[in-house]
Amino acid sequence: MKLLSDVLLFLVCTGLWAVHAQVSSSGRTVVLGGQTYFVPPSPVAQFKFGAGIAVKAQLEGLAQGGSVELIPFSLIATASKHFSTGQLQETVSLYQSLDDVWSPSFLQGIYLSFNGSGSPTATLSTGEGTKIVVLSNSYAFGVPLTKALPPGPYFVEPLTGNIFEAWLLYSDENQSFLYGTVADGKGGFTQLSAHIDGAATESVAVPSRLYFEATPKQPLAGARLAVKDIFDVAGLRTGCGNRAFYTFNPPKNTTAPAIQRLLDGGAILVGKVKASQFANGETATDDWVDYHAPYNPRGEGYQDGSSSSTGSGTAVAAYPWLDYAVGSDTGGSMRGPAGANGVFGNRPSHGAVVLDDVMPLSPELDTAGIFARDAKTWQKAGLWWYENFTSFSKFPKTILFPVDSFGSSFLTNPPKNGTANAMFNTFIQKLEAFLNTTRTEINLTNLWTETSPLIANVSNPPPPLRTMLNTTYADLISLDQIALVADPFIDGFKAAHSGQNPFIDPAPLVRWDYGRSLNDPNRKAEALNNKTVFMNWFQDTVIGALEGPNIGIDSIRTSVE
Ligand SMILES: *[C@@H]1O[C@H](CO)[C@@H](O)[C@H](O)[C@H]1NC(C)=O
Ligand SMILES: *[C@@H]1O[C@H](CO)[C@@H](O)[C@H](O)[C@H]1NC(C)=O
Ligand SMILES: *[C@@H]1O[C@H](CO)[C@@H](O)[C@H](O)[C@H]1NC(C)=O
Ligand SMILES: *[C@@H]1O[C@H](CO)[C@@H](O)[C@H](O)[C@H]1NC(C)=O
Ligand SMILES: *[C@@H]1O[C@H](CO)[C@@H](O)[C@H](O)[C@H]1NC(C)=O
Ligand SMILES: *[C@@H]1O[C@H](CO)[C@@H](O)[C@H](O)[C@H]1NC(C)=O
Ligand SMILES: *[C@@H]1O[C@H](CO)[C@@H](O)[C@H](O)[C@H]1NC(C)=O
Ligand SMILES: *[C@@H]1O[C@H](CO)[C@@H](O)[C@H](O)[C@H]1NC(C)=O
Ligand SMILES: *[C@@H]1O[C@H](CO)[C@@H](O)[C@H](O)[C@H]1NC(C)=O
Ligand SMILES: *[C@@H]1O[C@H](CO)[C@@H](O)[C@H](O)[C@H]1NC(C)=O
């Protein structure tokens, strides 16, 4: 019997099948020196062989008849006419200290990009194993590039002279990422196709740090950024931590302005990170039904990473190769993970960053924050990102210490005297010593009773804060999210799935059920009014008193006493 595999048959289709599909590449994954690299599909430049036949022949020789697909090399810029072995050693040490992507494996070839004046007079005396040495520009045997490239590690395709960037792949060991991303060359992004062989988790690709130099216009040049999966990015789906939501909604065609601003500042989006579902609070691990909760790398690695910007916080805590992760904060979604994972993260003033194309929890309360591992790195992003960001040159002198807030929620519980309180107190003592000041205690309950705008007269005191604010947060986030996210999604999903409901995790379900149970058309307006009354009072009486020219902190103390 003749085996079918012996016959190679090309069918020429004449209308039977319309075969117009073309093979396209989503990049290559290569292993070099034990590390896995992603090679993007499009070259960044090409050798102009016309001027350097000798190099073309050299590269063709190295290609070994096409069996060697890519040759790694280092691009080194120099103004020195005699680039010595000593200078090479210095450059190697510099690259090794600055960059995790470059490695000595990229010394198989060296491309010296001469940026000085005059002509270089000597080639590099190379060590063993270095195969291509090319001097560019005016050097007699130089081969120019079609486009000037920054220094760093590259791959050249010997037969075409095409040059590609080198992106190092990392494993997402803490399961913080949904997927890695790469620019699609059309202003948007695609999911990274590359994966480290044998790795159990997603892979994330990062470009060489040597390709970038921060400038005033791009202070974040080359900074590696991950984004919470409630922010839209063109070309990618926004999943909000829900599998049905992820599949049901098509990829986005716009990038949220908040993210675009960071990209404009030079940040490189390397992936989308996990959010707890619809940015509601979820506790690891049982609340996390659709996706496994990211691991908090602190301690033994199994503590709750806090939510809802969970993956943003755990990724920055776990991965030195990542510089920033964007998250959001409505009721603690940045502050919680920052504390739990031991990184810097913030809730800014409401409105400091535009939140168009970001899934809302409650637009009246939603804000966007950013995580970094140190304050200086964080400040760089803050300065670029936030409107009216103020960088202070002096330390503050006032520590406002609400006695009925710390250690417990002053709305629901009396203050506790526990271990956390003692640690907190020690911290405040150190802060007092550092700032040469002492804390100013205020009792918010008391202050409210005495200064509330809701006081009718002496015999008619204002409602207690804990009554006025008891359900404000719960009302706003549930009613807003039901109207803006839950109902449109569930209705659309059911219409497309013969009436079947999408699966929703328990935490958002409980909150949406609560909102639906209110069943009161005035509730939202009432909650918003209570929030506004409190906000204005706090701004004028607590914060404002600190800044006012005549009303010092003493007046608060006096009114408390
Ligand atoms: C030439 O390259 C070196 C090494 O990157 C750099 O320090 C120097 O500033 C460059 N000179 C010019 C004129 O670009
Ligand atoms: C989390 O990440 C750290 C750093 O990469 C790693 O040491 C640790 O094993 C990871 N934890 C888990 C549970 O994978
Ligand atoms: C972008 O997506 C929105 C929502 O899916 C759609 O209404 C709009 O037509 C799209 N715009 C373009 C230019 O594709
Ligand atoms: C920034 O400051 C300007 C001028 O004081 C003000 O109008 C604007 O509302 C501020 N923006 C935010 C987000 O606070
Ligand atoms: C807790 O209570 C004990 C006993 O009343 C007291 O000595 C201690 O100072 C308190 N600690 C704090 C942090 O308030
Ligand atoms: C506190 O006072 C000490 C001694 O006078 C001084 O050295 C230090 O700079 C002060 N610290 C601050 C934050 O002002
Ligand atoms: C704050 O003031 C209220 C009302 O006067 C009082 O009941 C409460 O004990 C005070 N809290 C603290 C911690 O001093
Ligand atoms: C205090 O205000 C309440 C409600 O406005 C009013 O009924 C009451 O008569 C007022 N009492 C005094 C002493 O003015
Ligand atoms: C807060 O609301 C809950 C639920 O509606 C209620 O049981 C509780 O008594 C309220 N607490 C206050 C202080 O109003
Ligand atoms: C608003 O505050 C009042 C007290 O001023 C309280 O009785 C009411 O329950 C609050 N309503 C909401 C929706 O928070």
Side-chain angles (χ1 to χ4, degrees), residues 350-352 387-388:
H350 186 252
E387 208 180 310
N388 303 343

Side-chain angles (χ1 to χ4, degrees), residues 448 454 462-464 467-473 475 520 522-531:
W448 169 258
L454 302 184
T467 304
M468 187 177 80
L469 298 178
N470 188 24
T471 60
T472 309
Y473 181 75
D475 293 356
D520 171 0
N522 297 322
R523 184 76 169 221
K524 160 94 194 272
E526 196 184 311
L528 194 54
N529 180 61
N530 284 7
K531 178 225 165 213

Side-chain angles (χ1 to χ4, degrees), residues 42-129:
S42 302
V44 282
Q46 196 183 20
F47 281 122
K48 279 196 212 164
F49 281 142
I53 290 301
V55 172
K56 182 170 193 288
Q58 189 189 13
L59 284 173
E60 276 171 359
L62 292 171
Q64 294 169 13
S67 65
V68 174
E69 205 186 319
L70 292 170
I71 300 171
F73 73 99
S74 300
L75 192 152
I76 298 172
T78 180
S80 166
K81 290 185 182 180
H82 304 270
F83 193 77
S84 65
T85 311
Q87 280 173 302
L88 178 61
Q89 274 157 2
E90 273 172 36
T91 307
V92 164
S93 315
L94 185 71
Y95 283 9
Q96 262 171 330
S97 68
L98 293 178
D99 190 27
D100 48 347
V101 178
W102 188 87
S103 83
S105 302
F106 284 92
L107 287 173
Q108 285 181 37
I110 293 173
Y111 182 87
L112 287 177
S113 177
F114 180 66
N115 67 5
S117 52
S119 300
T121 53
T123 52
L124 169 72
S125 59
T126 64
E128 290 230 355

Side-chain angles (χ1 to χ4, degrees), residues 155-397:
F155 292 100
V156 58
E157 214 169 43
L159 293 182
T160 61
N162 279 333
I163 296 168
F164 299 85
E165 286 182 345
W167 291 52
L168 182 62
L169 290 179
Y170 281 106
S171 246
D172 176 25
E173 289 170 353
N174 287 75
Q175 300 186 29
S176 303
F177 281 79
L178 278 167
Y179 48 77
T181 54
V182 281
D184 66 4
K186 296 176 282 183
F189 289 81
T190 56
Q191 289 192 22
L192 178 71
S193 58
H195 190 260
I196 298 175
D197 265 2
T201 53
E202 291 290 320
S203 297
V204 179
V206 300
S208 166
R209 293 194 184 277
L210 300 170
Y211 299 156
F212 306 95
E213 207 173 330
T215 62
K217 278 189 169 168
Q218 293 215 302
L220 306 178
R224 299 156 184 177
L225 170 75
V227 168
K228 181 178 185 176
D229 193 29
I230 65 166
F231 289 78
D232 290 353
V233 173
L236 304 174
R237 290 168 195 266
T238 303
C240 303
N242 181 282
R243 295 200 304 160
F245 193 87
Y246 176 89
T247 338
F248 182 64
N249 294 295
K252 299 294 174 180
N253 53 23
T254 45
T255 295
I259 304 306
Q260 191 57 51
R261 170 80 184 156
L262 293 170
L263 299 178
D264 291 347
I268 306 295
L269 180 70
V270 300
K272 280 266 191 121
V273 275
K274 291 177 186 169
S276 54
Q277 202 168 91
F278 296 111
N280 286 269
E282 291 190 316
T283 303
T285 61
D286 58 345
D287 281 345
W288 290 73
V289 182
D290 262 359
Y291 294 92
H292 196 284
Y295 292 90
N296 176 344
R298 304 297 177 206
E300 97 290 40
Y302 282 83
Q303 294 178 49
D304 188 356
S306 186
S307 58
S308 66
S309 306
T310 317
S312 309
T314 57
V316 167
Y319 305 136
W321 46 265
L322 182 71
D323 300 310
Y324 296 109
V326 161
S328 65
D329 190 310
T330 306
S333 286
M334 286 291 304
R335 291 162 286 165
N341 297 289
V343 293
F344 287 81
N346 68 302
R347 175 193 169 88
S349 301
H350 186 252
V353 165
V354 172
L355 289 181
D356 293 348
D357 308 311
V358 183
M359 186 219 58
L361 190 47
S362 168
E364 292 88 7
L365 297 166
D366 293 342
T367 66
I370 194 157
F371 292 103
R373 275 179 305 281
D374 64 86
K376 279 224 150 42
T377 305
W378 184 93
Q379 186 198 36
K380 217 190 281 178
L383 277 167
W384 175 256
W385 207 25
Y386 292 124
E387 208 180 310
N388 303 343
F389 186 98
T390 313
S391 206
F392 294 96
S393 55
K394 280 186 188 155
F395 290 107
K397 276 281 171 212

